[in-house]
Amino acid sequence: MKTVELACGISMPLIGLGTWDLRGRQCEDTVRLALEMGCRLVDTAQMYGNEAETGRGIRASGIPRREVFVTSKLFSPSRSHAKAKAGIRASLQALGLDWLDLMLIHEPYEEAEEMYAALEEARAGGLVRAIGVSNFGIGRLERLIARTGLVPAVNQVELHVLHQQPELVTRMRRLGVHAQAWSPLGCGRGGLLAIPALGEIARAHGRTPAQVALNFLTSQGISVIPKSSRPERLAENLACADFTLSGDEMARLRGLDQGASLFGWY
């Protein structure tokens, strides 16, 4: 599995499993299967309501804990310094883990600076290896950095061929913040996987449109966390970075950007 080096000095897998909308035994079994197939990054969140199932899936896989990169996210009930500290411990308890590899603030809450201070304390105390944010536009990201003096290791945002956010990604790189794509396949919206250009490029490489869409991101150093519970799709996603798109193909895919969120974020 290819990795990316975060500014804080730790390595993170380039491709992972998103668990949004996975529940109960399906979540547990999907996490286990993905890890058995070679996935080494699992992304969950308090908001998803599946941290316990995610933790059970990790344990059921038999993969040593240090080989699995686990991410979770704090959400609105944790909107203060004290509540964020309690939220971090609640996530660890639900997951059944002693530490998290990455903990994010799920949305750009007004209390983000207080919450981020709690994350930094957890990182210093060994409860979290890296800390970051999710869904922060560049203005809110720069405000967080200015007020805390801390640069998030990761900003997890909506990125896919229809919403590429090139200015945000470029400015994040200058700040030393890694861009990670949630819903990199558009979560079934916008007819993304039916775009003719994706199909034509996929046929040229003997691949699927989903693999091309993911490769477009990973070839730019953007990590991806697609969600699927289907074994064949899990295998496709994990193999998305082992072929090379040409410069002309990359340019063609860049031309698909519509400059608008499919989810109404920004």
Side-chain angles (χ1 to χ4, degrees):
M1 176 61 66
K2 296 180 180 179
T3 62
V4 294
E5 189 79 8
L6 301 180
C8 60
I10 70 172
S11 296
M12 179 176 70
L14 183 65
I15 305 160
L17 171 70
T19 63
W20 175 82
D21 205 31
L22 293 177
R23 298 289 183 272
R25 187 59 183 266
Q26 183 189 47
C27 179
E28 181 179 338
D29 289 346
T30 299
V31 170
R32 173 189 55 78
L33 178 60
L35 291 172
E36 291 174 350
M37 296 174 71
C39 177
R40 289 297 180 267
L41 165 59
V42 178
D43 179 275
T44 183
Q46 294 175 349
M47 188 182 292
Y48 301 167
N50 63 10
E51 288 178 312
E53 293 89 343
T54 297
R56 287 197 292 270
I58 292 170
R59 290 187 292 279
S61 74
I63 305 299
R65 169 68 186 93
R66 288 195 172 275
E67 294 183 19
V68 184
F69 192 103
V70 184
T71 301
S72 193
K73 311 175 195 73
L74 293 170
F75 81 131
S76 53
S78 301
R79 291 171 69 171
S80 75
H81 181 267
K83 290 178 180 178
K85 290 182 70 172
I88 295 164
R89 294 189 178 277
S91 282
L92 289 170
Q93 183 175 11
L95 283 156
L97 301 178
D98 294 325
W99 81 92
L100 278 161
D101 296 280
L102 177 64
M103 192 78 174
L104 309 176
I105 298 175
H106 206 143
E107 297 174 347
Y109 306 119
E110 188 61 32
E111 301 84 358
E113 285 76 27
E114 295 179 53
M115 298 169 71
Y116 208 74
L119 284 178
E120 172 58 19
E121 290 168 12
R123 188 203 62 78
L127 297 179
V128 181
R129 296 178 65 216
I131 59 177
V133 296
S134 180
N135 298 307
F136 275 52
I138 193 62
R140 192 65 183 86
L141 182 63
E142 290 178 341
R143 173 178 153 188
L144 177 76
I145 294 171
R147 290 187 175 183
T148 65
L150 301 169
V151 178
V154 171
N155 186 17
Q156 190 183 100
V157 294
E158 179 189 353
L159 292 170
H160 46 73
V161 293
L162 294 178
H163 191 46
Q164 299 176 25
Q165 303 203 74
E167 182 179 355
L168 174 62
V169 172
T170 296
R171 292 178 69 175
M172 283 168 52
R173 285 189 178 130
R174 291 173 182 163
L175 291 168
V177 181
H178 175 75
Q180 184 173 70
W182 58 257
S183 288
L185 300 176
C187 200
R189 304 190 185 197
L192 190 152
L193 293 180
I195 295 172
L198 284 178
E200 292 166 12
I201 294 171
R203 286 191 291 276
H205 289 270
R207 300 290 178 148
T208 67
Q211 287 178 311
V212 172
L214 294 174
N215 188 290
F216 174 70
L217 297 172
T218 60
S219 65
Q220 299 176 66
I222 298 170
S223 59
V224 296
I225 47 170
K227 187 267 296 186
S228 180
S229 60
R230 294 169 57 180
E232 68 275 18
R233 293 292 174 83
L234 291 172
E236 285 179 12
N237 293 343
L238 290 171
C240 74
D242 61 358
F243 65 102
T244 302
L245 296 170
S246 71
D248 287 344
E249 289 169 335
M250 289 292 291
R252 189 177 181 190
L253 294 172
R254 288 192 186 96
L256 299 176
D257 189 12
Q258 297 180 354
S261 169
L262 295 179
F263 302 84
W265 273 100
Y266 32 70

